[in-house]
Amino acid sequence: MRVLALFDGTLADPDAPLLRADDLGVLRGDGIFETIMVIDGAPLELEPHLARLARSAAMLDLPAPDLDAWRRCAHTVIDAWRGGPEMVLKLVLTRGPESTGEVTGFAAGSPVPESLLTQRRDGIAAVTLTRGITSDVPGQAPWLLLGAKTLSYAVNMAALRHAAQRGADDVVFTATNGAVLEGPTSTVVVAQGSTLRTPPVENGILPGTTQGALFRAAAVAGWQTRVEPIATAELARADGVWLVSSVRLVARVHTLDGRELPDPGLTGEFEGMLREAVRPVTRFS
Ligand code: PLP
């Protein structure tokens, strides 16, 4: 089951061709996207996702997205969905065809990939892979677009294939100065005592909406939360390490670079806190 809506809010056939061959999103990966979890018809953390879409657009010098139009487009897909209770909603905005100079936008709904359901249930064997830069490069080189959610994910997908060749499920990217960065499609969260930690966006990583929601809930539940640099060597000494993201939710890293990591038994609690934090509030008037 898949659903597709054009940016003007009309539904389109998900099996019919959609993009022009000269769309710069296709030719150069020149565009941005968001992946949003929808549960029982409610898009989770929609506003943080839209804020990040606008942030990515600004980083790529794309026209500021019309967020009201994106909200309508998202709801067109959600309303047309006839699949299961969980749907993955993608918002895509490209620089458009070279010849027209008009951006291309669409929203698509699809089922949750089996691989992510497995990660949620069974956890992850991950390997650390270098991104080949120091963690202070992003501020000095904004043209690298580190921390923008661009369509140029070929490197991220290559890293996942490399991990698979080494028998692992996922990747923790690291910087050449030893800093932990992020996963190819996730944010790294570390537990140490009563503190949850995650690396800062200044290190050139995407600001994670799931990490944001989890830390909001964790703070209420009495955890200290810290956004600060984490050294790769600290991962092996932590009480627990997780990769978190919108569709994966919370997946524990049970093995890192072939070494088993401790299980503090917190994954269920974190997933519960997260689901509660992102639960849409029903208002009665
Ligand atoms: N970092 C990267 C590179 C990602 O691609 C993603 C999500 O796909 C994340 C982090 C996690 O972001 P979110 O929690 O908003 O899904």
Side-chain angles (χ1 to χ4, degrees):
M1 170 70 196
R2 287 177 303 126
V3 177
L4 180 67
L6 306 181
F7 187 57
D8 64 7
T10 55
L11 283 172
D13 177 357
D15 294 320
L18 170 70
L19 296 174
R20 287 174 47 143
D22 64 345
D23 194 297
L24 290 167
V26 175
L27 294 181
R28 296 191 182 137
D30 195 352
I32 57 177
F33 75 105
E34 282 296 320
T35 303
I36 301 166
M37 186 72 199
V38 178
I39 301 183
D40 294 330
L44 306 184
E45 300 293 285
L46 178 61
E47 292 310 312
H49 279 287
L50 290 176
R52 192 170 65 188
L53 188 75
R55 176 182 182 274
S56 297
M59 290 174 79
L60 270 73
D61 298 320
L62 284 165
D66 176 347
L67 297 187
D68 272 340
W70 278 110
R71 282 183 198 101
R72 281 195 299 274
C73 191
H75 281 287
T76 301
V77 173
I78 292 168
D79 292 346
W81 177 253
R82 297 289 175 271
E86 293 195 350
M87 181 189 88
V88 178
L89 173 66
K90 263 189 203 299
L91 311 182
V92 180
L93 175 64
T94 83
R95 202 174 297 280
E98 200 152 22
S99 51
T100 68
E102 296 267 324
V103 295
T104 303
F106 61 90
S110 57
V112 175
E114 202 57 45
S115 59
L116 292 187
L117 293 175
T118 306
Q119 285 203 5
R120 265 191 220 167
R121 196 187 55 231
D122 299 342
I124 300 169
V127 287
T128 52
L129 294 181
T130 181
R131 225 179 215 168
I133 51 164
T134 63
S135 59
D136 58 1
V137 155
Q140 302 164 26
W143 57 88
L144 292 180
L145 298 179
L146 295 164
K149 199 163 170 67
T150 77
L151 291 170
S152 310
Y153 262 46
V155 168
N156 300 32
M157 297 302 107
L160 289 176
R161 287 195 299 276
H162 188 83
Q165 280 160 17
R166 289 171 50 179
D169 312 304
D170 218 314
V171 171
V172 173
F173 280 129
T174 58
T176 50
N177 58 345
V180 172
L181 298 175
E182 62 189 341
T185 63
S186 60
T187 309
V188 178
V189 170
V190 170
Q192 193 73 61
S194 58
T195 303
L196 287 186
R197 302 166 66 204
T198 197
V201 293
E202 290 74 22
N203 284 181
I205 62 170
L206 201 67
T209 63
T210 313
Q211 169 273 319
L214 178 64
F215 275 31
R216 221 166 58 218
V220 172
W223 287 82
Q224 306 291 315
T225 59
R226 287 205 220 136
V227 179
E228 61 186 9
I230 298 172
T232 307
E234 291 183 88
L235 295 179
R237 299 196 295 267
D239 291 342
V241 179
W242 292 264
L243 295 185
V244 306
S245 65
S246 298
V247 179
R248 173 188 285 105
L249 302 177
V250 180
R252 186 176 79 84
V253 181
H254 56 67
T255 309
L256 186 66
D257 293 331
R259 273 182 54 184
E260 220 174 285
L261 297 185
D263 182 2
L266 292 166
T267 308
E269 182 182 330
F270 287 167
E271 186 178 327
M273 286 191 322
L274 176 65
R275 283 184 184 270
E276 188 61 26
V278 297
R279 198 164 58 97
V281 181
T282 311
R283 293 181 205 283
F284 299 97
S285 52

